[in-house]
Amino acid sequence: MRWKGREGSRNITDRRGKTMKRGAGIGVGGIVMALVAIFVFNEDPMRALSGVLGNQGQAQTQTNTEYKPSAQEQEVAQFVSVVLRDTEVTWNNLFRQANSQYKEPGLTLYSNSTPTACGTGRSASGPFYCPADQEIYLDLSFLNELKNMGASGDFALAYVIAHEVGHHIQTITGTSKNVRQMQARSSSKAQSNDLQVRMELQADCLAGVWAHHNEKRTGTLERGDIQEAMQAAASVGDDTIMKRAGIPPRKENFTHGSSEQRMQWFNQGLRSGDYNKCDTGI
Ligand SMILES: [Zn+2]
């Protein structure tokens, strides 16, 4: 994706190098990659995040003065900012066309752990969106995990960000709330998981819708970009993650959708550019 020199978002908070004053778990060394991956993209941090601080209100950070991002890390942070801005422009336009107003989400870059309105955010949870503060949380070390899972390239990261923005859209349009209510009424874990899968696939589709309109507007896609996004979508499919972790991939345990479904829904949004085509049955 051609992004250098392009406008960035003003909604980024950079907390990298700040460490939590309270709460254990700074540094997540030793966590098995596969377990890490199960939580990748989990939309509901209340469930995904463990070890929530007893007293969130007192969670504070302090600056680690030894932290100096490398030139490469700074470049990735800049890329994130441009992609977030691109999502803002696209969704502002689409909401306006629907006679509505888009409320832009924030995005916090952090390292290791960070206080959020949904409890302590940890790298091990992967990128996530917290509905309570309408903020996306991203630890860029996740990129190494994505690479280990066979997905690399800048557009893989763009897909991840656009997916989390998709959860934000589900939140501000009320879809998330409806699904939570349906889940509360659901009779089994399998049924609740199925609803969760539909949420995740819709977020993938919304990421595709963004990619469609962004390309129309900016023409910044480069050869291989769509492939990178598809590869990323595939690498975080439940069946792929479970196989990697040595767990039999059973559909009733899926929470994000299979690799094939994730690619299919991203593609559906990408080709149509129509969020009405992101009806995953929720
Ligand atoms: Zn998600």
Side-chain angles (χ1 to χ4, degrees):
M1 178 180 170
R2 283 187 300 277
W3 62 273
K4 284 191 180 164
R6 293 185 45 223
E7 187 190 13
S9 170
R10 285 182 297 183
N11 296 315
I12 304 258
T13 305
D14 194 348
R15 276 194 210 146
R16 291 176 298 166
K18 293 185 196 299
T19 48
M20 300 275 295
K21 266 184 183 166
R22 283 166 208 276
I26 296 168
V28 289
I31 294 181
V32 182
M33 248 304 296
L35 290 175
V36 168
I38 285 173
F39 295 111
V40 166
F41 294 11
N42 200 304
E43 185 274 340
D44 184 2
M46 295 304 281
R47 292 199 317 187
L49 305 179
S50 54
V52 173
L53 283 183
N55 190 344
Q56 288 174 28
Q58 288 178 21
Q60 290 175 347
T61 57
Q62 60 189 12
T63 304
N64 174 359
T65 48
E66 283 171 25
Y67 176 79
K68 287 258 184 325
S70 67
Q72 197 202 351
E73 282 169 331
Q74 284 305 70
E75 188 166 88
V76 177
Q78 196 53 42
F79 174 78
V80 169
S81 176
V82 170
V83 170
L84 185 64
R85 180 63 196 145
D86 275 348
T87 67
E88 290 163 359
V89 174
T90 292
W91 287 112
N92 271 311
N93 287 339
L94 291 176
F95 271 68
R96 200 177 306 121
Q97 284 162 23
N99 294 317
S100 187
Q101 206 185 350
Y102 181 57
K103 186 174 180 294
E104 297 169 357
L107 188 151
T108 296
L109 293 171
Y110 73 100
S111 35
N112 298 320
S113 63
T114 188
T116 85
C118 298
T120 302
R122 295 182 198 286
S123 311
S125 306
F128 65 96
Y129 171 75
C130 170
D133 55 17
Q134 304 199 348
E135 189 88 8
I136 294 162
Y137 290 90
L138 186 61
D139 182 334
L140 294 174
S141 67
F142 164 72
L143 288 178
N144 297 328
E145 282 145 34
L146 206 56
K147 210 176 257 176
N148 289 339
M149 293 189 283
S152 59
D154 60 4
F155 216 68
L157 178 55
Y159 153 74
V160 171
I161 296 165
H163 171 98
E164 298 305 335
V165 169
H167 286 313
H168 172 66
I169 289 160
Q170 291 172 322
T171 297
I172 59 176
T173 56
T175 302
S176 302
K177 201 174 158 210
N178 289 342
V179 171
R180 295 286 163 252
Q181 283 168 353
M182 284 192 275
Q183 283 180 314
R185 287 196 302 264
S186 67
S187 53
S188 66
K189 183 79 187 152
Q191 198 184 354
S192 175
N193 283 348
D194 180 63
L195 288 163
Q196 188 64 33
V197 167
R198 290 167 193 271
M199 283 276 283
E200 293 299 330
L201 295 177
Q202 186 177 69
D204 284 336
C205 183
L206 293 172
V209 169
W210 164 73
H212 174 102
H213 290 281
N214 194 55
E215 177 57 7
K216 245 186 180 167
R217 186 178 68 88
T218 65
T220 48
L221 277 183
E222 292 174 306
R223 215 186 146 102
D225 278 344
I226 293 302
Q227 211 46 41
E228 288 167 10
M230 291 293 247
Q231 190 56 47
S235 71
V236 291
D238 285 320
D239 50 343
T240 302
I241 287 171
M242 286 174 177
K243 272 183 217 157
R244 196 181 293 270
I247 303 166
R250 294 208 179 86
K251 199 164 168 283
E252 64 269 26
N253 295 331
F254 285 7
T255 51
H256 294 75
S258 69
S259 296
E260 198 181 330
Q261 285 175 312
R262 299 199 72 164
M263 288 194 289
Q264 186 200 318
W265 281 101
F266 175 76
N267 203 29
Q268 168 106 338
L270 176 70
R271 275 184 308 160
S272 67
D274 182 0
Y275 52 80
N276 291 312
K277 298 246 156 64
C278 295
D279 182 359
T280 56
I282 45 174

